[in-house]
Amino acid sequence: MNLNNPSSDIAILGMGTALPVHKVAQPYIAELIASSLLDRPDLARFAKRIFKSCGVETRYTVEPSYLGTLEECRYIPLGEQTDIPTTRERMDTYQREALPLAIRATQEAMQDAQISPEAITHIITVSCTGQYLPGLDVQLIQHFGLSARVNRLPLIFQGCAAGLKAIQMARDVVQGAPGSQVLVVCVELCTLHFQPVQDREALFAASFFGDAASASIVGTPEAQHRDYLSLGTGYSVLLPDSTEDMTWKVADYGYDLHLSPRIPKLLGNHLQEELSLLLQSEQLPELWAIHPGGRGIVDSVQEVMNLKSEQTKYSRDVLRDYGNLSSNTILFVLQAMRMDMKKQEQSSTEGVAMAFGPGLTAELMKFTYVPALTSVMEEQDHVLL
């Protein structure tokens, strides 16, 4: 952060999150799936084991049928059941459920940033779990009464890394057009894409994804702003020899996700070099916002960067309480970190954020937690004295 000119900072000025009303305990889903695999006892045992060990305790879903009996849940067919929701049905549910979550998250973010809807100049909408046109961006403009001339930037089908990618895009927008106020909204309804379990690979994907929305306001901080995240440099990188290790494709019954068990190892092999490039021999930051794409990913980053348990706490807590929320997840981590820093009345603290998606893509960014703009000015005065 530039202490000589705090007003030149670009920051996340406000954040909001929203969850569906349906909360599902992990053991319940594990039993539901195991009950559908009575003819595959080996796979049923594996399901219980992987659901117990993946680091998730509860998840949220827009689909109430997951709370019912096995016969009531069309997403987990019993035996030869063929009444599985088609992709069209799943997209209809997405279109119905996405906007209310997005509205709640956006309202919270705008209140947090102390910004009125008419001040928004750009809107970036993010999702890889559903699409329709006119899209979520148009609906949000109409609901909040944003200017019809708001610059709309949809970021679609980019996977879990897209939330952090959108924040970096918003930073670049404000840098190129000073005075801009960018609204970033992510909505992911991952549980709509649950597939009938045929093998162990499908169980990995089923074991940790959940539904949520998040929103952020990115702009230049002013005197009234408190507890914001100043955005530093960052970039995206494609990791070598990993194109087929994470794939996400449209199919007849939702989207088919493939996750290779090699992913944690691949990240461990390449992240240290990339983080060294990002940090440019700076001292390792105190704050680590790691996308908890799974327990193994957080374990891998912690091990390769020699982090303390308290430095990965926010990521593990989000994974435990909500699961992997795709593009939302890193924003939930940053919000939890920010609120905890506020509660502890911490001073300005450096951090690094990272998220991962198909490619394999690693999205990396430096940031600074700032309790208040006035404290930065006081620090500047102290340095000058």
Side-chain angles (χ1 to χ4, degrees):
M1 185 169 53
N2 182 3
L3 293 178
N4 294 321
N5 187 10
S7 64
S8 68
D9 281 343
I10 300 170
I12 299 177
L13 305 176
M15 302 181 73
T17 57
L19 295 162
V21 297
H22 306 299
K23 182 178 181 179
V24 187
Q26 186 79 335
Y28 182 82
I29 293 292
E31 286 295 335
L32 202 64
I33 290 178
S35 298
S36 73
L37 296 170
L38 295 180
D39 59 336
R40 297 283 306 275
D42 56 330
L43 205 54
R45 288 192 297 270
F46 181 77
K48 290 183 178 181
R49 186 164 70 251
I50 195 66
F51 272 64
K52 185 177 181 179
S53 63
C54 71
V56 178
E57 294 182 7
T58 55
R59 286 183 277 173
Y60 291 77
T61 177
V62 298
E63 178 51 74
S65 69
Y66 286 115
L67 282 71
T69 65
L70 183 61
E71 290 76 16
E72 295 170 327
C73 186
R74 296 171 60 204
Y75 293 82
I76 306 175
L78 180 63
E80 298 299 319
Q81 179 181 340
T82 57
D83 188 28
I84 303 168
T86 63
T87 299
R88 178 173 179 172
E89 289 180 88
R90 297 173 198 238
M91 290 300 94
D92 287 344
T93 302
Y94 178 95
Q95 185 169 354
R96 182 179 68 249
E97 300 290 346
L99 181 61
L101 286 175
I103 288 172
R104 284 168 47 200
T106 300
Q107 287 175 328
E108 186 176 311
M110 289 196 294
Q111 291 171 359
D112 188 31
Q114 303 178 59
I115 187 175
S116 58
E118 57 267 22
I120 299 296
T121 60
H122 299 70
I123 178 171
I124 302 175
T125 47
V126 181
S127 188
C128 68
T129 52
Q131 301 299 327
Y132 56 92
L133 289 173
L136 192 62
D137 51 355
V138 173
Q139 292 179 314
L140 289 170
I141 287 171
Q142 293 172 338
H143 178 86
F144 287 103
L146 307 184
S147 169
R149 295 177 180 83
V150 163
N151 196 330
R152 294 177 285 135
L153 304 168
L155 184 61
I156 61 174
F157 221 64
Q158 295 294 303
C160 297
L164 190 55
K165 163 61 73 179
I167 293 297
Q168 300 213 69
M169 286 174 59
R171 177 203 59 209
D172 294 346
V173 166
V174 179
Q175 187 175 45
S180 297
Q181 301 274 8
V182 186
L183 169 62
V184 177
V185 182
C186 305
V187 180
E188 302 290 7
L189 306 184
C190 305
T191 66
L192 296 183
H193 298 285
F194 195 99
Q195 300 290 317
V197 175
Q198 302 292 337
D199 50 36
R200 293 190 174 194
E201 181 182 286
L203 285 170
F204 279 114
S207 67
F208 49 71
F209 281 100
D211 302 346
S214 63
S216 306
I217 304 294
V218 177
T220 301
E222 298 180 357
Q224 75 270 22
H225 291 117
R226 301 286 187 275
D227 310 297
Y228 59 84
L229 300 179
S230 180
L231 304 177
T233 58
Y235 63 89
S236 300
V237 59
L238 281 173
L239 303 184
D241 303 320
S242 60
T243 304
E244 299 302 319
D245 286 281
M246 185 186 300
T247 61
W248 187 228
K249 300 177 181 180
V250 179
D252 293 336
Y253 300 98
Y255 298 168
D256 285 337
L257 174 65
H258 165 71
L259 295 174
S260 164
R262 296 198 318 146
I263 292 173
K265 184 177 180 180
L266 285 167
L267 294 175
N269 289 342
H270 299 289
L271 270 183
Q272 189 171 30
E273 178 182 352
E274 295 300 332
L275 287 167
S276 295
L277 178 63
L278 175 70
L279 298 172
Q280 293 291 313
S281 75
E282 298 174 13
Q283 183 178 357
L284 290 183
E286 180 179 339
L287 298 176
W288 288 75
I290 305 164
H291 166 63
R295 181 177 178 178
I297 287 177
V298 182
D299 288 345
S300 181
V301 176
Q302 180 170 348
E303 179 180 356
V304 75
M305 299 308 297
N306 194 28
L307 303 179
K308 300 175 183 178
S309 295
E310 54 265 30
Q311 291 178 294
T312 61
K313 174 182 182 299
Y314 303 104
S315 297
R316 295 189 191 279
D317 286 354
V318 167
L319 182 65
R320 179 195 65 208
D321 295 339
Y322 312 116
N324 182 344
L325 307 171
S326 191
S327 65
N328 291 292
T329 323
I330 191 63
L331 301 170
F332 269 68
V333 173
L334 288 169
Q335 175 72 319
M337 181 179 289
R338 170 181 172 248
M339 297 307 293
D340 191 45
M341 298 291 284
K342 177 182 179 180
K343 181 179 179 181
Q344 296 182 36
E345 298 183 345
Q346 291 290 327
S347 58
S348 295
T349 309
E350 303 295 325
V352 62
M354 62 194 74
F356 317 108
L360 285 171
T361 300
E363 195 78 26
L364 308 170
M365 182 190 73
K366 295 191 289 185
F367 69 91
T368 305
Y369 167 76
V370 182
L373 183 61
T374 52
S375 68
V376 178
M377 292 178 174
E378 290 168 0
E379 185 175 351
Q380 176 194 16
D381 292 340
H382 177 74
V383 171
L384 294 175
L385 289 174

